[in-house]
Amino acid sequence: NSVLFSEEGNKGYGPVFEEQPIDTIYPEESSDGQVSMNCRARAVPFPTYRWKLNNWDIDLTKERYSMVGGRLVINNPEKSRDAGKYVCVVSNVFGTVRSSEATLSFGYLDPFPPEERYEVKVREGVGAVLLCEPPYHYPDDLSYRWLLNEFPVFIALDKRRFVSQTNGNLYIANVEASDKGNYSCFVSSPSITKSVFSKFIPLIPQSDRAKVYPADIKVKFKDTYALLGQNVTLECFALGNPVPELRWSKYLEPLPASAEISMSGAVLKIFNIQYEDEGLYECEAENYKGKDKHQARVYVQAAPEWVEHINDTERDIGSDLYWPCVATGKPIPTIRWLKNGASFRKGELRMQSLTFDDAGMYQCIAENMHGIIYANAELKIVASPPTFEFNPMKKKILAAKGGRVIIECKPKAAPKPKFSWSKGTELLVNGSRIRIWDDGSLEIINVTKLDEGRYTCFAENNRGKANSTGVLEMTGKPQNFNSVQPDSVHLCSNSSRFSKDAVCHSSLIGVLMNKLGRHEHRNNTIKSNGELLIKNVQLRHAGRYMCTAQTIVDNSSASADLVVRGPPGPPGGIRIEEIRDTAVALTWSRGTDNHSPISKYTIQSKTFLSEEWKDAKTDPSDIEGNMESATVIDLIPWMEYEFRIIATNTLGTGEPSMPSPRIRTEGAPPNVAPSDVGGGGGSNRELTITWMPLSREYHYGNNFGYIVAFKPFGEKEWRRVTVTNPEIGRYVHKDESMPPSTQYQVKVKAFNNKGDGPFSLTAVIYSAQDAPTEIPTDVSVKVLSSSEMSVSWHHVTDKSVEGYQIRYWAAHDKEAAAQRVQVSNQEYSTKLENLKPNTRYHVDVSAFNSAGYGPPSSTIDVVTRKAPPSQRPRIISSVRSGSRYIITWDHVKAMSNESAVEGYKVLYRPDGQHEGKLFSTGKHTIEVPVPSDGEYVVEVRAHSEGGDGEVAQIKISG
């Protein structure tokens, strides 16, 4: 390998990852039949790929594995042999790198146990908890809802009812008579897109004289460890009568600005959690009978993140290397190293006297309990003979009599060469006036006329040798500056010119223009007459400049001030002095005016609604340049704001100040009414009211919700209900005495902890119509094959019917598992597909409308045909006879559980197309025409009352 690293200009490089494998969950019930782990890297020369499973090499010659580039495809994956940690290993001649580890796990969600659930009897007014007890599953990312009586009727959550997303249990603060029903826990796994539901739990409220019970917290959030930047959810819910109020707080601190309270107060969600959000959180539940409290701590930690990581590096052979690699995290990450994919060292990496064996691909790995990160880099070791091509010695070196001169010798070489010097033919050695430095430079002190001449530097290492020559000459001192001195300059234009005359010896080394304290080189031009030209002058160019005429022996200097006028600097020290609902008082300190008085200030604001800074309205509307306070007005109540200030003068607008601390304005009652109030429809004895929820900017305060008012048309008294979820725009009122299709007036207003807003315009809607009462007649079922049947019926006379529902289920299944197909009221029949062969099915038909389903028809029992023959015809000959081909095949014998063969279907089609000519025959042979052009495919399959069997095919040519 040493040749690869010693040649200058080598264009090859080691593997650099462009795509690495990621954690993957494969559903155990998936029909895909394969899973992929991706890996892609660029390298020159092209790399090779290997894969490891749990640190063992994968045998890629096995049929169950295939590789597409670096991507690993696992066919028919099985948990017992394929689950584990995968690593992609990529190599070429420059070295080897390992990808980050990726876990392949198998997701599953078992069904609930088949045992019936016990009924729950609870006295009215007492709290209840229905246990979900989810089945075995992986991963643990389930979401929970509860069904009431039938699918897909989910219970609506409100102030009185809560479903914990931690354990799935349903909590009812106090049971009412209307809670009677059958409840089922509905569990969904988003990772494998599967849902299951439990057996129904009957809840039977027991009539009792209403009693009151103190608040009793049953849902208690635990000590929580969160990762920096994550969203954290804390749950708290209490039983009690009346329903307890829930309040959240943080010990000795306000709640985080990013915290939101939802689910009628039962859920506190902290978005993008930061270290300062760590602390003790408290939930308090209270009703007039008593209160309860619960506390737990939130800890914030962090996965590793790079502070400084390694990059591709070249080093001379024999040199030393310190490669810094630093990561932050909580807990503090540990550092370890890989070289060419193998474990190398721990902690910091220092290497002395590098050799070719040190070259390769290095990986710095930082890890803690929350994660692992990789930084990859290539170390190339360079070796070359000395060369002066890139840095030759100066051809002419000037020195002053009695002075000191240093002649530099800096060839490019690896390893570092040894140096020697000669003057003419005389070899130089260290003495009282002459010294050869370690870097190759030659120093001469107390220079005399005899030191003039040709000096040669010789450099040699184990790769070769080289030399370079220059001439040393004597020179004199510069004279003083004449009467032309640099003048101080005030400007705001794009260029500045300092004029300077210097009378110097002809061998003057140079005229230097220095800005005291720093050196400016870009955009500067020093002319031959001593003028310094600065183009595109910026504020940073202001300061004192010194012109120096210099030789080796002596120098002479003069200085001048450059004053640059420009737009103001940023104001500082923004402070919030007073916060009201729609106004905030600000003070600030003035920034630099950059030699032009500040004429005005502009205040800008920003909220989470937009990333853009916008000019704010202020009092006074025009903020003059001598002011250092103002009030921002027309703000949104209970909204988080940041402010910044920009100063302006006659030369332009300056940079903005640093943003102020984020504040939240005080709350106020809402002043906007919900829009699009309407509704109607729904199930029997229901009044459905809908509206457009108000966006966050119109909430104006905490504990935001809606008051819904409704009454039958013509009555005087309005009935009111409260909806505490600000995101919901729907309320369903149930009343068994409500007449169907009755006209109601409805209106909605918003409220918060500061008061109520205005009502919306009154809308007119209708209560739900009755569900159909008629039964579809003349229902008939015709079996079409082993997997299909056709169902037909006569329509009912009810004009409100919107469609028909066909239910069907296998005789060995329970009715609750029935499949459902819905069609419009224009249909008289439909086809049922994907049925199981040779299976008895029950079928019924019912009418439905928006209010619900009517009674079903009588159940019809039918049996699907046996499955079609699974054996594929075996084509035994294909013989050309003139303009015809004669195709012959063996007879297909059906098995005992398959339909008998009734004949054969033959499809004659052009190769590459799906359409063709279809023949039917009861024989085992058929004649087809010779193709006039190209190839044709002849497909043969057995036909039975259960359907068509497997296909055999043969190609024929013209």
Side-chain angles (χ1 to χ4, degrees):
N1 282 352
S2 62
V3 176
L4 290 168
F5 303 108
S6 63
E7 295 299 325
E8 286 293 325
N10 193 312
K11 301 301 183 185
Y13 57 89
V16 178
F17 280 113
E18 294 185 328
E19 185 177 14
Q20 300 191 53
I22 58 174
D23 291 345
T24 301
I25 297 175
Y26 179 80
E28 288 187 357
E29 299 176 10
S30 172
S31 59
D32 293 347
Q34 62 175 220
V35 64
S36 299
M37 306 294 282
N38 293 334
C39 181
R40 189 174 77 254
R42 53 183 167 84
V44 177
F46 196 77
T48 59
Y49 295 86
R50 293 183 292 120
W51 282 86
K52 288 178 175 287
L53 170 57
N54 297 328
N55 248 357
W56 292 89
D57 285 330
I58 294 178
D59 184 0
L60 297 173
T61 61
K62 292 184 177 180
E63 287 187 4
R64 53 191 311 272
Y65 298 113
S66 57
M67 288 271 284
V68 181
R71 180 162 63 99
L72 174 68
V73 180
I74 306 169
N75 298 304
N76 301 315
E78 295 179 9
K79 181 178 181 179
S80 59
R81 59 183 179 181
D82 296 317
K85 294 183 176 180
Y86 286 76
V87 172
C88 173
V89 184
V90 190
S91 305
N92 73 359
V93 293
F94 288 99
T96 300
V97 289
R98 292 167 59 104
S99 72
S100 54
E101 287 184 345
T103 301
L104 174 61
S105 49
F106 286 72
Y108 62 93
L109 176 59
D110 289 348
F112 276 91
E115 292 79 21
E116 298 293 334
R117 296 285 189 107
Y118 293 112
E119 67 183 18
V120 177
K121 295 182 179 180
V122 184
R123 294 196 313 275
E124 292 179 13
V126 176
V129 181
L130 301 186
L131 302 182
C132 178
E133 297 177 335
Y136 291 115
H137 59 273
Y138 182 85
D140 194 17
D141 62 347
L142 302 183
S143 64
Y144 302 91
R145 291 187 289 174
W146 281 77
L147 297 168
L148 179 59
N149 294 327
E150 64 176 341
F151 183 86
V153 180
F154 293 100
I155 68 166
L157 303 182
D158 51 30
K159 197 173 184 179
R160 197 172 59 85
R161 295 181 290 190
F162 176 70
V163 176
S164 170
Q165 296 304 308
T166 302
N167 55 27
N169 295 343
L170 169 62
Y171 297 83
I172 304 176
N174 51 62
V175 172
E176 299 176 354
S178 60
D179 293 323
K180 182 179 180 180
N182 297 312
Y183 291 77
S184 171
C185 181
F186 186 86
V187 181
S188 299
S189 173
S191 297
I192 61 172
T193 60
K194 181 181 178 181
S195 300
V196 294
F197 55 88
S198 70
K199 291 288 185 178
F200 281 92
I201 304 171
L203 176 62
I204 305 173
Q206 305 290 296
S207 180
D208 194 5
R209 184 172 61 84
K211 294 182 180 179
V212 294
Y213 300 94
D216 181 15
I217 295 178
K218 290 296 184 183
V219 179
K220 300 180 178 181
F221 60 99
K222 299 178 181 178
D223 284 351
T224 302
Y225 285 84
L227 289 185
L228 187 70
Q230 280 187 338
N231 299 335
V232 176
T233 301
L234 307 179
E235 294 182 339
C236 178
F237 189 77
L239 311 184
N241 189 23
V243 178
E245 293 287 335
L246 297 171
R247 290 185 293 272
W248 290 87
S249 62
K250 185 182 179 189
Y251 183 65
L252 297 180
E253 295 180 67
L255 287 174
S258 64
E260 284 191 6
I261 298 172
S262 59
M263 302 299 292
S264 302
V267 172
L268 173 70
K269 193 162 189 176
I270 306 171
F271 294 90
N272 188 25
I273 195 166
Q274 301 298 306
Y275 287 127
E276 58 266 25
D277 299 333
E278 189 173 83
L280 189 65
Y281 287 77
E282 180 179 275
C283 169
E284 182 180 77
E286 182 178 14
N287 61 14
Y288 71 79
K289 189 67 176 176
K291 69 168 63 174
D292 192 10
K293 290 183 180 181
H294 170 69
Q295 291 181 335
R297 187 167 290 276
V298 174
Y299 300 90
V300 181
Q301 300 197 329
E305 186 175 338
W306 289 122
V307 175
E308 184 176 10
H309 61 77
I310 58 176
N311 294 296
D312 291 346
T313 300
E314 279 191 2
R315 282 290 189 273
D316 290 348
I317 191 166
S319 64
D320 297 339
L321 172 67
Y322 167 55
W323 231 348
C325 187
V326 183
T328 184
K330 190 176 179 183
I332 297 296
T334 59
I335 301 290
R336 59 186 174 92
W337 294 79
L338 304 179
K339 179 187 175 187
N340 291 329
S343 182
F344 186 55
R345 290 188 190 172
K346 292 183 178 180
E348 67 175 21
L349 182 61
R350 293 182 184 272
M351 303 167 67
Q352 285 80 37
S353 302
L354 294 171
T355 68
F356 286 129
D357 290 337
D358 295 316
M361 300 301 299
Y362 287 77
Q363 294 178 275
C364 175
I365 303 173
E367 58 186 324
N368 66 10
M369 61 192 293
H370 302 299
I372 181 170
I373 53 177
Y374 290 70
N376 305 343
E378 180 179 359
L379 174 61
K380 286 189 175 181
I381 306 301
V382 178
S384 66
T387 175
F388 287 91
E389 178 183 357
F390 305 106
N391 194 19
M393 277 180 58
K394 292 181 180 179
K395 296 302 180 186
K396 188 176 182 180
I397 304 102
L398 299 178
K401 182 179 179 181
R404 169 177 173 265
V405 67
I406 296 173
I407 309 174
E408 291 186 340
C409 177
K410 294 185 177 180
K412 183 172 183 181
K416 180 181 176 182
K418 293 181 178 180
F419 296 97
S420 58
W421 283 82
S422 70
K423 178 189 175 191
T425 59
E426 176 190 357
L427 184 64
L428 300 178
V429 295
N430 286 339
S432 60
R433 289 197 314 113
I434 296 177
R435 182 183 169 211
I436 301 173
W437 291 3
D438 287 342
D439 67 357
S441 300
L442 176 67
E443 179 185 21
I444 306 173
I445 61 176
N446 297 325
V447 177
T448 69
K449 188 72 173 175
L450 294 176
D451 291 321
E452 286 188 327
R454 294 171 59 83
Y455 286 79
T456 303
C457 175
F458 298 89
E460 181 177 2
N461 66 10
N462 58 6
R463 316 292 295 184
K465 61 179 71 174
N467 61 75
S468 184
T469 300
V471 176
L472 177 65
E473 293 183 358
M474 301 290 291
T475 186
K477 296 185 177 181
Q479 301 173 20
N480 290 331
F481 282 103
N482 66 9
S483 58
V484 181
Q485 296 288 326
D487 296 322
S488 296
V489 179
H490 291 252
L491 72 157
C492 54
S493 59
N494 288 330
S495 67
S496 177
R497 177 179 284 112
F498 282 106
S499 178
K500 184 68 55 190
D501 287 347
V503 180
C504 300
H505 190 276
S506 61
S507 57
L508 181 69
I509 292 177
V511 179
L512 307 177
M513 200 69 168
N514 293 332
K515 178 183 174 185
L516 296 184
R518 62 191 281 191
H519 297 278
E520 293 281 349
H521 300 295
R522 274 180 290 174
N523 300 329
N524 294 354
T525 303
I526 300 176
K527 297 191 173 182
S528 59
N529 64 355
E531 282 188 351
L532 171 66
L533 175 64
I534 306 174
K535 299 177 181 177
N536 189 23
V537 168
Q538 303 295 320
L539 290 169
R540 69 174 184 272
H541 292 119
R544 174 160 294 183
Y545 285 76
M546 179 177 289
C547 175
T548 303
Q550 178 180 323
T551 70
I552 292 174
V553 180
D554 202 357
N555 62 71
S556 184
S557 301
S559 62
D561 291 327
L562 173 61
V563 177
V564 181
R565 297 165 56 226
I574 301 181
R575 295 186 303 279
I576 311 292
E577 297 294 344
E578 183 183 0
I579 301 174
R580 300 195 293 274
D581 54 354
T582 59
V584 170
L586 302 178
T587 63
W588 62 91
S589 58
R590 50 190 295 117
T592 58
D593 62 9
N594 290 324
H595 310 289
S596 179
I598 296 172
S599 56
K600 70 169 185 175
Y601 288 100
T602 303
I603 299 179
Q604 295 184 324
S605 65
K606 186 175 74 169
T607 70
F608 75 90
L609 301 173
S610 172
E611 287 300 313
E612 294 182 8
W613 289 92
K614 298 179 180 178
D615 289 355
K617 285 188 178 181
T618 60
D619 181 18
S621 57
D622 295 323
I623 307 172
E624 297 180 357
N626 59 355
M627 297 177 63
E628 294 186 8
S629 65
T631 300
V632 184
I633 60 174
D634 289 355
L635 300 177
I636 299 172
W638 204 64
M639 178 63 68
E640 290 180 4
Y641 279 96
E642 291 177 276
F643 301 97
R644 69 181 188 183
I645 303 175
I646 302 173
T648 301
N649 63 16
T650 56
L651 297 175
T653 297
E655 292 293 317
S657 68
M658 293 292 291
S660 69
R662 186 178 299 171
I663 60 97
R664 176 179 281 168
T665 51
E666 292 292 322
N671 65 4
V672 177
S675 61
D676 296 338
V677 176
S683 302
N684 279 353
R685 307 295 184 257
E686 285 184 355
L687 178 67
T688 301
I689 304 167
T690 60
W691 63 92
M692 179 66 69
L694 293 177
S695 59
R696 163 67 181 81
E697 60 193 287
Y698 297 113
H699 286 190
Y700 286 12
N702 210 346
N703 300 327
F704 181 85
Y706 301 96
I707 295 173
V708 182
F710 57 93
K711 66 182 181 70
F713 199 86
E715 290 190 9
K716 292 184 178 180
E717 294 295 322
W718 290 86
R719 180 167 181 178
R720 298 189 180 199
V721 295
T722 300
V723 177
T724 57
N725 189 336
E727 300 171 3
I728 287 181
R730 184 172 184 268
Y731 171 73
V732 179
H733 176 67
K734 294 185 178 182
D735 185 349
E736 292 301 324
S737 63
M738 183 187 302
S741 302
T742 302
Q743 203 175 46
Y744 275 79
Q745 291 177 293
V746 296
K747 57 185 179 181
V748 183
K749 69 177 177 179
F751 72 91
N752 62 22
N753 59 336
K754 297 293 184 179
D756 296 354
F759 268 115
S760 67
L761 296 175
T762 301
V764 176
I765 63 174
Y766 290 84
S767 60
Q769 54 196 352
D770 276 340
T773 56
E774 290 184 67
I775 299 173
T777 57
D778 292 342
V779 177
S780 65
V781 181
K782 180 179 180 182
V783 176
L784 303 178
S785 68
S786 63
S787 62
E788 297 176 326
M789 63 176 72
S790 174
V791 183
S792 60
W793 61 91
H794 281 177
H795 283 190
V796 300
T797 58
D798 189 345
K799 299 299 184 183
S800 73
V801 168
E802 298 174 3
Y804 294 87
Q805 175 178 267
I806 299 88
R807 296 193 308 161
Y808 59 99
W809 64 98
H812 59 266
D813 289 337
K814 294 190 176 181
E815 184 176 345
Q819 304 275 0
R820 294 169 168 83
V821 174
Q822 292 185 347
V823 297
S824 74
N825 59 6
Q826 304 297 313
E827 304 291 336
Y828 289 83
S829 65
T830 190
K831 183 190 287 187
L832 306 181
E833 300 176 321
N834 299 319
L835 306 174
K836 296 177 182 178
N838 197 27
T839 301
R840 179 177 298 278
Y841 279 89
H842 303 315
V843 183
D844 65 27
V845 182
S846 58
F848 69 86
N849 60 17
S850 61
Y853 299 94
S857 65
S858 300
T859 301
I860 296 179
D861 287 4
V862 291
V863 179
T864 53
R865 311 287 189 207
K866 291 182 177 180
S870 58
Q871 180 187 342
R872 153 183 305 114
R874 188 170 71 89
I875 299 175
I876 56 178
S877 69
S878 171
V879 180
R880 181 169 178 171
S881 176
S883 63
R884 315 284 288 176
Y885 266 103
I886 302 173
I887 314 295
T888 308
W889 58 90
D890 282 342
H891 176 59
V892 173
K893 294 181 180 179
M895 300 174 70
S896 60
N897 62 343
E898 296 175 341
S899 298
V901 176
E902 296 179 345
Y904 298 90
K905 289 182 178 179
V906 180
L907 179 63
Y908 176 67
R909 61 177 176 82
D911 188 18
Q913 299 183 20
H914 298 293
E915 304 295 329
K917 189 172 183 181
L918 185 65
F919 302 92
S920 294
T921 178
K923 302 177 182 178
H924 307 155
T925 182
I926 197 167
E927 294 185 7
V928 295
V930 173
S932 58
D933 184 29
E935 287 189 321
Y936 270 63
V937 176
V938 180
E939 295 182 353
V940 183
R941 70 181 82 201
H943 176 66
S944 70
E945 67 172 5
D948 296 337
E950 295 292 319
V951 176
Q953 67 177 31
I954 189 173
K955 290 185 179 180
I956 58 176
S957 304

